[in-house]
Amino acid sequence: MAGSNEVNVNESKRVVPLNTWVLISNFKLKYNMLRRPDGTFNRHLAEFLDRKVSANATPVNGVLSFDLLIDRPTSLLVRIYRPTPFPDTDNTEPSTSSMSSLLTDLIQPPSSDPFPVIVFFHGGSFAHSSANTAIYDSLCRRFVSLCNAVVISVNYRRSPEYRYPCAYDDGWTALKWASTQPWLHSGKDSKLRVFLAGDSSGGNIAHHVAVRAIESGITISGNILLNPMFGGQARTESEKRLDGKYFVTIQDRDWYWKAFLPEGVDRDHPACNPFGPNGNDLKGLPFPRSIVVVAGLDLVQDWQLAYVDGLKKAGQDVKLVYREQATIGFYLLPNTDHFYEVMEEIKGFVQIWIELQNATMER
Amino acid sequence: MGPYPCGSAAGGWEGVRSEAQCTAAPDIDGLLAGAGYRVRSSDLCQVAQRLERLESAMVYNSGGGHADYDHLASDAVHYNPSDLASWVDSMLSELTPADPGPVRHAPAPDGWVDQIYPQPQRAVAARMEEEEDSGIRLVHLLMSSAEAIQRGDAALSGSLIDEMRLLLTRVNTGFGIGKVAGYFVDALTRRLYSVSSPAASGSPAEYEILYHHFYEASPYLKFAHFTANQAILEAFDGHDRVHVIDFSLMHGLQWPALIQALALRPGGPPSLRLTGIGPPSPDGRDSLREIGVRLAELARSVRVQFAFRGVAANRLDDVRPWMLQVAPGEAVAVNSVMQLHRLLTDPDSPGPAPIDSVLSWIHGLRPKIVTVVEQEADHNKTGFLDRFTEALFYYSTMFDSLEAGRANGSAVQQQQATAVAEVYLQREIRDIVCCEGPDRAERHEPLVRWRARMGQAGFKPVHLGSNAFKQASMLLTLFSGEGYCVEEVDGCLTLGWHSRPLIAASAWRADDLEDNARPVPDNFIFSSISSTSNTNDSNNNNNNNNNIINGNGSMLRRNSNNNSRSSDSSSQQESIHGM
C-alpha cells in the first residue's frame, strides 16, 4: 500500500547483476536521506555525495567533451560530447593537441554528411544529478559512439528549489541555442537534425520541450524516452503491485512530484499527466516520432504505457520498447541484454531517420 | 585511458563485456568505477549485504512510519563517497553503535597513488556572447604567437603581437576575452622584449596589498582559509596545546576565525601557538610581529591563550625545522595556502627539488594535520605553448568569475578590490609566461599530482567531509556570483567557476594515529558554549602579566651556521603572548 516501507530486497536481487544492485541501492538509500518530510531537500549533502566527472577535451575512446555556458542569467551550462575532430589528420606536431582544445576547433562539425544532434536531459526525478554526474557522462559518451552524434547534455535547474516550468524552460533554451549554432547544422540543406532524449525526469522534459517546439518552427527528428517519468492522481495497478519491490516506492514518487509541480496542484497537472484530464490534445500537430522504452519492473509503467497510448490516439508515430524483466536504471551499466538491445533500438531509431533524410535529399 | 567502459564506436558489442573491467585497477569493479564508486569486486557481496542492513537500520530508526533520516543527513559527517564500502560502514555505525565490524579496517593505502581517474584534463569553458569573432581571432593569434615563440621565431611572434594590439583597440577590453587577452599580450610582449629577467617585481608589502584585494574580491582565498581551518579545528580536537605553522602569514587573514572557533570549543580552548613565516621587511619594519600583536589582542579578547612567533625567510626552503621550535606534546598543524608550488622545479630537470626536502622535514614534525591549498591547474609544463594554453584557459575562467563578482557588487569598494585583484593575477600570468627555470615561481600543479606527491612523501590523507563541504557551499551563497561550485573529489574539495575547478584543498597527516580515527561531530565551528569555559590560568607557566615583546622584533637571523635547537634567550626569537 502507499507508504509501505517493507524492505523486499530478495526480488530485486534476482533480476539485476550484483554491481547494478549495489549501484542502484546505493542511490536509493542516499536519496532517502536527502528528501525531507517537509518537502525540502538537502542540496549540500546531495552535491557532496554526487559522483561527478570533469569535461575532457582530450578524446577518450573517440569521444571528447567540453562545457559551455549558454545562458548567463540562469547560469545554464551544457556539456557537449562529440567524436574526435580531425580524425584523419596525420599531423604529429606536438602543438596539435593544444590547438585541438581550442573552442574553434572543438566546434567543427563532426562530418560533412548529415549527423544527429541529441539534446539529452539527465534523470534524477527533477531533483537529483547534474550534466556532469558520472553515470550520465558515461551514458552520453555511449550515445556519441552509438549514433555518431553530437550530444548536448543540459544542466537544467532542479526542484524543489526550481519548480515547474524551470526545467522545461532550460530545455527549451538549450534547443533554441542548438538551432543557432551553424556547426550543428549538417547536410546539403544545412539543417539541424536534432533528437530530444532523456531518462526518468529527462524523458518527461523531452516530451514537454517537444510540445513547445511545435509552434516554434524548430523541427525535431525524434524523441527518445527512457523510462520516462509520468504520473497521475490515481493509483494504477502497476504502482500498487510493484510498490517498494524494485528500488522505487509510491511514496518517493509522490515526494518528487510534489517538489516539482506548482504548489497546491495535484498529479493530474499536465506536466505530470500529459494525456490526463488536464492534458493538451496533440491530434494533428507535428509532434516528433517517439521511441519509448518501458521497464517491466518499473512501478510507473502504467503511466508510461498510458503515455504511449495517448500519443497513438493523437495519431502520432510512437514505438514502444517493453523490457519485461528490466528495472529502473538498467541503462546505467552495460552488463545486461536489456542494455545492449535497447541501445541497438535507439541506434536504429536515429539511424533510420538520418538515412531517410539522406535518401530524400539525393532525389 | 580513462575509467569509461570500453565502448566500440564501430558497432558490434562482442567482447565489450569482457573488456568492461579493462581500465580500472585490476581488482576494482570497472563498471562501478565508471559511475564514480571504487569497490573491490571481491567486496561486492559484502557491500550489498551491508547496504541491506543499512536499509533495515534506516527503516528501523525511522520508527517504521514516515521516514525521516534526519540524523544521517544532518548530523552525521560523510566522507569520501567514492569509497562506497567505508561510506556504508560509517552510516551503519551511526545507526547501530554495536556493530560487529566493518568490511575493511582502513581505506586501501595504495588507493591514493593509483590513478583511477584520468590525468588532469583541459576543461574548456567559454562564453558564446558578443564579440565572438574578434574574441576567437584573438585567441587564435595568441596561440599562434605562443607557438612562434616556442619555435624561436621572434619575428613572427612580434608581428602577431602587433596585430593583437591592433585588434585589442577594436575590442572591448573592459571585460571578457578582451580583458584577459590584454594581459596575455602584455606578458608575451614582456617575454619577447624584456632585456632583464622579469623577476618578482614589487616589494613584499605591495604583494600583500594585492593579496588582500584578491581576498576581498573573490571567494577563493576565503574558501582556502575556511576549509583549512575546519580541518585544523577537527584535528586539534582533544588536544590542549596546539601549534599552527603558517607557511605564508600575509596579513594573518586566516587566523582570527580559527582563534574564535577555538575559543568556542566545547570544553574550552587549547593554548595556541602560531608561527608565521613570511618575507623579511626591507624597510626595517617588523611586519610579521605587527600582525602577531594584532592576533594576540584578538586572542586575549576571547580568552584564548596565545603565543606568536615570526620567522622571516625569503624562501620556504630556507626555513629549518629548528626555527619553528616545535615543542614535545603539542599538536602541530602545518598550513600552506598556495606556497608549495613555489618549491617545484621543471618536471624534466633531474635531481631532487626543494619540495622534497621541505615535505621531508614537515613529515618529521609529525603533524596532526597538513592543510594544502593549491591552484587547480597544470602550469608547470616545460613546453611553452602547452603552458601558455593552459594558463590562458585557467585565467580566463578566473577573470570571468571576478567580473561576475564585480557586476554584482555595487559598492565602489568592490569595484576597486576587483581591479586590484586583477593586478594580483597579472603577476601570476607574467611569471608563468615570461619566466623560465629558477625564475619561475608559479609552478601550479593539479590535485592528482599533489596527492601522489604527498602520498610518496609518507603522508596519509585526511578526508574533508560533508560538513566542510556544506559550510563552503554556504559561504559561496554569500557571494552573488551564481556560477561558483564546490565539489568533492576523493576526500578533497575544489572550488570552481561554472564547472571548472580553480582551487583545490586537501588535508594530510603524518602522526602515528591509525587510519580510521573516528571523525569529529559536525557543526563544530558554530557550536555555542553552554557552560563557562575552563581555561585554568594557574596551570600555565607563562609570564602573563608582562607582554614580552622584544625590541629585537620577530626577525630570526638566517644564520646557516647555527644548527642548535636551543631556545636561549640570546637568539633573536621573540614571542608575543596573549592573555
Side-chain angles (χ1 to χ4, degrees):
Chain A
M1 220 5 264
S4 155
N5 282 319
E6 183 189 323
V7 174
N8 194 333
V9 299
N10 294 327
E11 300 202 31
S12 55
K13 272 179 126 169
R14 274 203 293 268
V15 296
V16 297
L18 185 55
N19 50 6
T20 302
W21 191 91
V22 165
L23 181 68
I24 302 187
S25 300
N26 146 75
F27 288 147
K28 177 176 81 173
L29 296 185
K30 283 175 170 151
Y31 293 178
N32 287 351
M33 284 180 215
L34 299 172
R35 298 188 301 273
R36 297 201 194 96
D38 65 356
T40 60
F41 188 76
N42 193 333
R43 180 61 66 191
H44 292 128
L45 186 58
E47 292 305 301
F48 179 81
L49 294 174
D50 191 28
R51 303 293 80 207
K52 302 176 197 285
V53 297
S54 312
N56 190 356
T58 305
V60 174
N61 292 333
V63 181
L64 64 86
S65 63
F66 56 99
D67 294 338
L68 285 184
L69 180 69
I70 64 172
D71 185 56
R72 195 169 272 270
T74 54
S75 291
L76 181 60
L77 275 170
V78 298
R79 177 163 291 181
I80 301 188
Y81 301 82
R82 55 154 305 148
T84 322
F86 319 124
D88 304 319
T89 313
D90 285 352
N91 200 336
T92 52
E93 275 186 32
S95 59
T96 306
S97 61
S98 340
M99 295 298 279
S100 70
S101 70
L102 267 189
L103 187 61
T104 44
D105 300 312
L106 293 174
I107 60 175
Q108 296 302 314
S111 87
S112 48
D113 297 326
F115 61 89
V117 175
I118 301 177
V119 178
F120 177 76
F121 305 102
H122 66 81
S125 307
F126 295 104
H128 298 278
S129 294
S130 307
N132 60 353
T133 297
I135 49 173
Y136 288 113
D137 188 88
S138 296
L139 186 58
C140 288
R141 286 172 172 271
R142 175 78 54 170
F143 285 150
V144 172
S145 305
L146 189 68
C147 304
N148 279 317
V150 172
V151 176
I152 300 171
S153 183
V154 183
N155 199 44
Y156 59 88
R157 284 169 292 171
R158 298 161 302 184
S159 55
E161 298 95 324
Y162 297 99
R163 293 173 177 269
Y164 163 94
C166 294
Y168 301 161
D169 290 344
D170 290 349
W172 174 237
T173 303
L175 178 62
K176 260 194 313 191
W177 174 84
S179 72
T180 67
Q181 299 301 300
W183 67 286
L184 292 176
H185 292 64
S186 56
K188 296 197 187 79
D189 53 349
S190 193
K191 275 177 50 180
L192 176 72
R193 300 159 205 285
V194 64
F195 293 76
L196 300 182
D199 72 307
S200 166
S201 50
N204 175 294
I205 296 173
H207 166 82
H208 288 285
V209 173
V211 170
R212 228 184 261 204
I214 289 177
E215 292 177 8
S216 69
I218 297 181
T219 307
I220 297 176
S221 302
N223 268 13
I224 302 164
L225 272 54
L226 270 171
N227 298 12
M229 185 171 160
F230 294 113
Q233 199 54 23
R235 299 299 190 202
T236 60
E237 183 274 339
S238 67
E239 285 168 297
K240 293 188 239 188
R241 173 170 49 94
L242 296 170
D243 187 14
K245 297 242 162 63
Y246 297 96
F247 310 110
V248 186
T249 64
I250 293 178
Q251 190 183 37
D252 71 62
R253 296 295 100 200
D254 284 354
W255 191 99
Y256 290 115
W257 282 121
K258 196 144 182 260
F260 173 71
L261 294 170
E263 314 240 11
V265 310
D266 68 13
R267 289 185 300 274
D268 281 333
H269 186 279
C272 176
N273 194 355
F275 292 110
N278 303 314
N280 295 317
D281 191 4
L282 296 181
K283 221 175 291 192
L285 295 177
F287 191 79
R289 45 196 272 282
S290 307
I291 180 170
V292 181
V293 180
V294 176
L297 300 177
D298 186 343
L299 87 172
V300 302
Q301 64 186 271
D302 282 353
W303 293 112
Q304 294 161 340
L305 294 169
Y307 173 78
V308 171
D309 233 29
L311 283 178
K312 283 188 180 148
K313 288 205 176 80
Q316 301 298 343
D317 183 347
V318 54
K319 175 176 186 184
L320 169 65
V321 176
Y322 187 85
R323 306 294 306 189
E324 207 170 296
Q325 285 292 89
T327 64
I328 57 143
F330 73 86
Y331 46 81
L332 296 178
L333 296 186
N335 56 3
T336 57
D337 287 339
H338 299 303
F339 179 92
Y340 291 104
E341 289 170 22
V342 165
M343 288 298 150
E344 281 303 297
E345 293 271 6
I346 292 174
K347 176 179 176 177
F349 179 77
V350 171
Q351 219 167 34
I352 286 175
W353 187 240
I354 298 287
E355 277 165 20
L356 249 174
Q357 296 198 313
N358 280 351
T360 319
M361 278 172 17
E362 267 153 35
R363 257 193 256 123
Chain B
M1 294 280 270
Y4 308 108
C6 306
S8 161
W13 300 110
E14 314 80 46
V16 173
R17 275 171 249 205
S18 57
E19 285 175 61
Q21 304 252 350
C22 66
T23 53
D27 58 339
I28 303 281
D29 183 282
L31 297 188
L32 288 182
Y37 297 100
R38 209 166 43 237
V39 183
R40 286 196 226 262
S41 304
S42 48
D43 284 342
L44 265 178
C45 223
Q46 266 189 305
V47 171
Q49 281 167 5
R50 296 184 78 76
L51 278 168
E52 284 182 67
R53 283 198 52 191
L54 177 56
E55 179 165 16
S56 303
M58 283 167 72
V59 171
Y60 177 79
N61 270 279
S62 74
H66 207 136
D68 184 352
Y69 309 116
D70 201 50
H71 170 67
L72 286 183
S74 311
D75 302 327
V77 182
H78 301 245
Y79 291 92
N80 198 356
S82 286
D83 187 350
L84 192 50
S86 298
W87 178 81
V88 178
D89 292 341
S90 69
M91 293 296 108
L92 272 170
S93 62
E94 289 283 340
L95 293 181
T96 57
D99 197 79
V103 174
R104 287 133 29 123
H105 282 281
D110 305 324
W112 307 119
V113 186
D114 281 350
Q115 297 293 324
I116 293 205
Y117 302 102
Q119 287 296 321
Q121 306 98 355
R122 215 167 292 126
V124 177
R127 305 175 319 272
M128 310 290 277
E129 287 181 346
E130 56 274 335
E131 305 177 332
E132 260 173 44
D133 292 332
S134 300
I136 290 174
R137 178 129 184 77
L138 263 175
V139 172
H140 257 299
L141 287 171
L142 278 166
M143 305 293 288
S144 304
S145 180
E147 195 188 7
I149 287 181
Q150 176 164 285
R151 276 186 286 112
D153 190 345
L156 174 60
S157 181
S159 76
L160 289 170
I161 288 177
D162 291 338
E163 204 178 325
M164 283 191 280
R165 287 209 180 281
L166 194 58
L167 196 53
L168 280 170
T169 63
R170 298 202 307 262
V171 151
N172 194 328
T173 56
F175 64 92
I177 190 76
K179 161 155 277 175
V180 77
Y183 286 116
F184 276 87
V185 170
D186 159 78
L188 280 173
T189 309
R190 282 175 168 255
R191 185 184 172 103
L192 213 51
Y193 299 123
S194 273
V195 176
S196 58
S197 141
S201 48
S203 67
E206 281 173 20
Y207 183 66
E208 280 175 18
I209 292 173
L210 295 178
Y211 182 94
H212 203 134
H213 281 84
F214 183 65
Y215 177 90
E216 292 294 336
S218 61
Y220 302 106
L221 292 177
K222 296 186 182 88
F223 166 79
H225 296 172
F226 206 79
T227 311
N229 282 348
Q230 179 68 20
I232 294 172
L233 196 63
E234 290 181 17
F236 281 169
D237 183 42
H239 295 275
D240 289 326
R241 291 163 50 236
V242 302
H243 183 178
V244 174
I245 298 166
D246 187 2
F247 273 7
S248 175
L249 187 65
M250 287 290 166
H251 290 166
L253 292 169
Q254 182 170 350
W255 306 118
L258 183 70
I259 293 172
Q260 284 161 340
L262 287 172
L264 293 175
R265 192 170 85 159
S271 74
L272 168 67
R273 284 180 60 203
L274 173 65
T275 300
I277 301 173
S281 325
D283 51 1
R285 270 178 52 210
D286 192 344
S287 47
L288 290 174
R289 181 179 165 278
E290 286 171 15
I291 293 162
V293 166
R294 268 188 265 136
L295 291 173
E297 282 170 16
L298 168 66
R300 180 177 34 235
S301 72
V302 293
R303 306 165 93 85
V304 173
Q305 211 169 15
F306 179 78
F308 175 83
R309 164 194 303 281
V311 173
N314 273 314
R315 295 176 53 89
L316 267 178
D317 45 334
D318 288 336
V319 174
R320 297 283 173 275
W322 57 262
M323 298 175 186
L324 309 172
Q325 303 251 326
V326 172
E330 58 184 17
V332 173
V334 175
N335 182 77
S336 165
V337 174
M338 315 210 296
Q339 298 305 307
L340 292 185
H341 63 258
R342 300 171 196 281
L343 300 169
L344 299 175
T345 51
D346 270 334
D348 301 344
S349 67
I355 185 71
D356 300 311
S357 59
V358 171
L359 286 183
S360 173
W361 66 247
I362 295 176
H363 193 281
L365 298 178
R366 289 269 172 276
K368 286 273 172 293
I369 191 101
V370 180
T371 46
V372 176
V373 184
E374 285 287 329
Q375 290 91 334
E376 182 61 7
D378 195 352
H379 294 149
N380 198 22
K381 301 184 183 201
T382 324
F384 178 70
L385 179 59
D386 279 347
R387 194 168 78 238
F388 184 85
T389 311
E390 184 85 12
L392 184 60
F393 290 131
Y394 179 84
Y395 287 100
S396 321
T397 311
M398 188 55 102
F399 272 85
D400 199 35
S401 73
L402 281 186
E403 258 173 51
R406 174 173 48 191
N408 286 317
S410 50
V412 173
Q413 242 177 344
Q414 181 70 13
Q415 311 259 345
Q416 189 184 11
T418 305
V420 181
E422 290 180 4
V423 179
Y424 173 85
L425 293 174
Q426 183 184 36
R427 290 186 86 179
E428 290 186 8
I429 294 172
R430 280 183 183 167
D431 182 285
I432 293 168
V433 172
C434 305
C435 299
E436 293 292 347
D439 288 334
R440 180 147 37 97
E442 300 294 342
R443 297 181 174 274
H444 311 148
E445 283 193 351
L447 180 60
V448 282
R449 281 227 278 285
W450 283 110
R451 205 185 273 136
R453 199 175 269 112
M454 296 300 282
Q456 278 154 17
F459 293 92
K460 302 253 180 298
V462 175
H463 292 157
L464 302 172
S466 55
N467 49 351
F469 181 94
K470 174 178 173 179
Q471 287 166 354
S473 298
M474 278 162 46
L475 163 73
L476 287 174
T477 61
L478 294 177
F479 274 80
S480 35
E482 261 219 32
Y484 291 106
C485 61
V486 184
E487 285 187 8
E488 190 275 350
V489 180
D490 232 337
C492 308
L493 296 187
T494 63
L495 171 61
W497 175 253
H498 284 311
S499 90
R500 161 74 207 251
L502 293 172
I503 188 169
S506 61
W508 309 86
R509 69 166 192 270
D511 60 0
D512 303 312
L513 233 48
E514 284 175 27
D515 285 335
N516 60 340
R518 191 168 168 72
V520 170
D522 173 37
N523 293 330
F524 214 12
I525 283 191
F526 298 113
S527 57
S528 56
I529 304 179
S530 49
S531 56
T532 54
S533 61
N534 288 335
T535 43
N536 199 337
D537 292 357
S538 58
N539 285 342
N540 69 65
N541 297 324
N542 292 321
N543 313 351
N544 294 352
N545 296 330
N546 26 325
N547 290 340
I548 305 172
I549 301 175
N550 290 348
N552 287 344
S554 68
M555 262 199 164
L556 198 66
R557 237 195 270 142
R558 291 186 295 113
N559 187 346
S560 49
N561 293 329
N562 184 359
N563 289 326
S564 80
R565 287 174 136 265
S566 66
S567 54
D568 55 333
S569 52
S570 62
S571 70
Q572 292 79 356
Q573 59 183 287
E574 61 95 4
S575 311
I576 299 175
H577 294 265
M579 256 184 101

